Every structure is written in C-alpha cells, then in structure tokens.
Amino acid sequence: MAIFETITAVALAAASLAGPENASYALRLSQTDSSGGYARATLTCNEPGGSIKDPAKACEVLEAAGGKFSAIEEASTACPLNFAPVNVTVTGRWNGEAVDYKKEFSNACTAGNATQNIFPLK
C-alpha cells in the first residue's frame, strides 16, 4: 500500500507542477456563422497545442498581442464585401488572467484578418 501511495503522491505533484502553467494559457474558441454553422476549438500556449489548425502560430500571434484578441495587429488580405456575419467567442485564461472576448465580423475573411487567421476555425 505504501508504494501505491508514494506513486500517487508523485503523480499528483507532477500534475500540479505541469498543469497550472499550461492551464494559465488555455483558451476555448467558438465560431458561428450566418448559415447556422458552428465550430469550436481549444488552444494551449505554454506548450502550443489544442485542436486549433495552427497552435504554434496562434500562440505567437497572441504573445505579440499580450494575449488580447482586440490588440492583434490586423492582416491586410483583401476581403470580399459580402455580408455573412461571423460571431467569435474566446474564453479561458492567458497568463493567469481571465479572457472573455466576443465579436461579430462581417464575414469569415474579416474575422481572419482581425485575428491573423486564428479565426475562422473551419
């Protein structure tokens, strides 16, 4: 029984050391569009990962913006003028601080420009 308790204690200690750092850079992203489409993804940035299409690039973009989606330097790709609203939501933590970002864009292209292609998720 003592061996089991020791192994359990070591595993819990390792998890508590690894978990909080990555948890302090953990985001949940979602997107809805005017056609009723819905997508969601996760992103962690202490060690880039998650279900987003390019975690390393997304983490780099967010690091440059101090973790603030509203501070991301906008890309300059030409976008069509069509109106097909895209709503994006981001919740979680960045460097231990709560993140709660919501914004509507006129279409997926403008969402991509505003977030350096972190969005759209599809």
Side-chain angles (χ1 to χ4, degrees):
M1 195 64 144
I3 292 174
F4 176 74
E5 290 170 352
T6 302
I7 291 172
T8 302
V10 169
L12 289 172
S16 70
L17 290 175
E21 286 181 23
N22 211 29
S24 69
Y25 293 93
L27 301 172
R28 292 173 300 286
L29 303 92
S30 65
Q31 163 190 321
T32 56
D33 62 37
S34 59
S35 67
Y38 178 77
R40 63 182 173 181
T42 58
L43 175 65
T44 55
C45 285
N46 190 34
E47 294 179 23
S51 60
I52 199 164
K53 58 187 165 189
D54 190 347
K57 171 119 172 60
C59 292
E60 183 180 301
V61 166
L62 284 169
E63 185 65 37
K68 298 186 183 326
F69 276 79
S70 60
I72 292 174
E73 187 175 322
E74 193 166 320
S76 59
T77 303
C79 290
L81 297 177
N82 67 315
F83 186 68
V86 172
N87 291 290
V88 301
T89 302
V90 182
T91 59
R93 301 197 77 67
W94 182 269
N95 196 24
E97 299 292 320
V99 173
D100 187 13
Y101 175 80
K102 295 177 180 135
K103 183 148 185 177
E104 181 178 271
F105 296 95
S106 60
N107 57 45
C109 182
T110 59
N113 274 349
T115 63
Q116 289 194 27
N117 292 310
I118 292 173
F119 287 97
L121 299 177
K122 299 180 192 181

